[in-house]
Amino acid sequence: MDPEFQLQLIRAVARGERPAFEELYQVTGPKLYGVAMQLMRSPERAEEALQEAFVKIWHNAGDYHQGRGSVMTWMSSIVRYRCIDLLRSKSAKEDRQDSLDEEGAPELIAPEQPEDPENQALERCMETLDTHDLQYIHLAYYRGLTHAEIQEHTGTPLGTVKSWIRRGLQRLKRCLEE
Amino acid sequence: MNYLNDERLDALAADYVMGTMQGQARRRFVRLMQAYQKVRERVWHWEQLLAPMNGRIEAQQPPERVWQEISRRIGFIDTTQNAANDEPQSKGVMAWTGGFATAAVLLIGVFLMRPEPTVAPGGIPETMIEQVAVFTQDEQPLWLMEVAGNELTVQATNAVQPSDEHDYELWIVPEDGSAPVSLGLMPEDGRITRTLAVNTHDIAIKAVAVSLEAPGGSVTGAPGEVLYVTGLTIL
């Protein structure tokens, strides 16, 4: 995906150009649907989150600026926050408990090493983390679990969950900023 | 303010971006983001640090209906039929139609002070504007809404607080007590123009209202928390 092309598209979308919005959806939709599926674990709920995120992207394209990172970073954040809101709703929590209770829930994360330099830096820094820190960061980021849900899922005390995630993130940050 | 201690702010921003912050704490943090550039920047920094984690997630082709639904919701396709089918459920209309007299008094003054009385590119000449409303809070104008033909234009003022956690949605409240009808999301800054899927001239309108919704707008078809109500003036 070409960040420069996405930047041109989002600027056109901010001017209300509909073909640019459709193009932006075509080029980013599959990745963002993957992000939504990863968190929601349900095609229906992932579709709902993606739709709502794109409606927001259409209306708020003018808010995008390069201080937000790449267009893809900005859009991914909108999708993630929408998913998180939906996951925190009561009915979703009930569905989710069922999915957490299932053994062998589908793993959607690609096993191969990504080629993007930013991804390689992240992979390298991830390797420096303690196993627990990494596991809990994954449960929060990829599964959208709260501290309390990680506590329930792993049996680890809440304070420990919080401090391991916090410690892991700070190490990750230091490593990525080097 | 305690929150703005650098180390604490960094940890909170990370919690927010990870999604582990929830409930009241998340809402409080969103208010801090609205108020302080420093807080927003720290969140953006974490978003960028963690975004490469998405690199490990495999892309998947969404079903065709997703784009169809997005197009319908933002008015790319004629949704008159769908809008009639999707009519929202009535939800305490009477409870939130009171108290718009003050806003109506302010209406004319704000309308006359409009900074851009000329034609916007691709927009509607001002002489064709037929219906107008202004939403205010504490006598401070927030949005100016105009309808010309089937084109709706909404201009946000600087007093509108942008939010990543919520959207504002515009509704018309019919005089006959039937369910409020959504006119779509409100801009959080700048100005938007879009084609209305409903003909506001064919409905006897009691009031127009703005509700607070999750990002993307109401998922139930009925308004959430109603924040502002005002009258629609016919010019």
Side-chain angles (χ1 to χ4, degrees):
Chain A
M1 276 182 275
D2 178 358
E4 189 54 38
F5 180 51
Q6 290 171 7
L7 187 60
Q8 288 171 15
L9 287 176
I10 200 76
R11 285 177 176 157
V13 173
R15 294 191 297 269
E17 294 180 20
R18 294 177 179 192
F21 184 61
E22 184 159 7
E23 180 81 23
L24 186 68
Y25 176 81
Q26 297 300 338
V27 297
T28 62
K31 183 68 186 185
L32 295 174
Y33 184 56
V35 169
M37 271 296 286
Q38 176 67 39
L39 281 163
M40 307 306 290
R41 307 266 159 164
S42 140
E44 293 76 20
R45 298 190 72 88
E47 286 171 31
E48 183 186 355
L50 192 66
Q51 281 162 13
E52 290 169 8
F54 267 93
V55 171
K56 184 164 174 107
I57 288 163
W58 167 252
H59 290 303
N60 294 284
D63 291 350
Y64 172 76
H65 55 82
Q66 286 172 308
R68 301 296 307 263
S70 69
V71 173
M72 200 57 189
T73 296
W74 178 70
M75 292 175 73
S76 306
S77 298
I78 291 174
V79 171
R80 274 185 58 80
Y81 294 139
R82 186 65 201 123
C83 288
I84 288 163
D85 284 343
L86 289 172
L87 287 171
R88 303 291 179 259
S89 71
K90 192 164 177 277
S91 60
K93 269 185 183 164
E94 287 159 6
D95 292 349
R96 191 164 150 87
Q97 191 51 50
D98 296 342
S99 122
L100 282 175
D101 291 343
E102 283 171 22
E103 286 301 321
E107 194 46 74
L108 304 172
I109 299 171
E112 70 270 22
Q113 290 285 328
E115 289 168 9
D116 187 300
E118 276 193 341
N119 292 344
Q120 285 175 349
L122 180 80
E123 294 295 330
R124 180 175 53 76
C125 290
M126 287 283 197
E127 283 171 13
T128 67
L129 300 186
D130 293 347
T131 314
H132 277 120
D133 297 2
L134 186 60
Q135 183 195 355
Y136 291 6
I137 286 172
H138 276 194
L139 284 171
Y141 194 85
Y142 291 123
R143 301 295 300 271
L145 301 193
T146 62
H147 291 133
E149 286 168 331
I150 295 174
Q151 175 195 18
E152 281 171 37
H153 189 58
T154 62
T156 310
L158 190 61
T160 311
V161 170
K162 284 184 183 177
S163 70
W164 282 353
I165 290 181
R166 197 156 283 183
R167 181 181 65 187
L169 287 174
Q170 287 303 326
R171 281 187 186 164
L172 201 59
K173 180 175 174 233
R174 277 196 298 274
C175 176
L176 287 167
E177 286 175 345
E178 271 172 12
Chain B
M1 174 185 274
N2 240 357
Y3 261 126
L4 297 183
N5 163 293
D6 270 358
E7 200 175 320
R8 179 162 166 72
L9 172 60
D10 198 56
L12 289 170
D15 276 354
Y16 175 79
V17 174
M18 287 290 281
T20 43
M21 180 187 282
Q22 58 175 330
Q24 187 60 35
R26 196 168 182 88
R27 286 190 287 277
R28 213 164 37 226
F29 190 74
V30 167
R31 285 200 294 276
L32 282 175
M33 281 170 61
Q34 292 167 351
Y36 297 99
Q37 176 76 10
K38 181 179 170 182
V39 180
R40 290 194 290 276
E41 285 175 356
R42 196 59 65 100
V43 166
W44 299 342
H45 184 63
W46 273 106
E47 286 174 354
Q48 290 166 56
L49 278 177
L50 296 176
M53 288 182 77
N54 296 330
R56 299 180 75 191
I57 298 173
E58 288 186 276
Q60 297 184 52
Q61 192 61 42
E64 178 59 29
R65 62 177 173 271
V66 176
W67 174 248
Q68 295 298 330
E69 178 61 16
I70 294 166
S71 302
R72 189 187 72 77
R73 288 182 58 177
I74 58 187
F76 280 13
I77 50 182
D78 182 3
T79 56
T80 313
Q81 193 62 42
N82 289 340
N85 294 340
D86 292 346
E87 199 162 284
Q89 296 150 5
S90 181
K91 182 184 172 186
V93 176
M94 293 308 290
W96 47 274
T97 50
F100 58 79
T102 315
V105 170
L106 286 165
L107 174 70
I108 301 303
V110 174
F111 183 58
L112 293 175
M113 290 191 304
R114 288 184 65 206
E116 294 178 90
T118 52
V119 182
I124 303 297
E126 192 185 28
T127 50
M128 289 171 61
I129 293 169
E130 295 147 352
Q131 294 169 315
V132 61
V134 64
F135 293 95
T136 65
Q137 181 174 38
D138 301 332
E139 303 192 357
Q140 177 85 13
L142 297 171
W143 289 279
L144 175 71
M145 165 191 166
E146 299 164 345
V147 179
N150 64 344
E151 289 283 328
L152 167 73
T153 299
V154 183
Q155 169 83 49
T157 71
N158 292 337
V160 176
Q161 292 285 334
S163 164
D164 276 345
E165 191 159 86
H166 297 290
D167 273 336
Y168 301 102
E169 189 160 351
L170 178 62
W171 304 82
I172 50 178
V173 184
E175 186 72 57
D176 65 6
S178 60
V181 178
S182 172
L183 297 185
L185 298 180
M186 299 288 266
E188 294 181 6
D189 58 24
R191 172 179 188 159
I192 56 112
T193 297
R194 64 172 166 261
T195 304
L196 288 168
V198 289
N199 187 339
T200 54
H201 301 84
D202 289 348
I203 304 174
I205 295 171
K206 178 167 186 168
V208 283
V210 172
S211 66
L212 186 68
E213 305 291 344
S218 168
V219 290
T220 60
E225 181 189 351
V226 173
L227 301 178
Y228 312 105
V229 180
T230 188
L232 187 64
T233 301
I234 297 168
L235 301 176

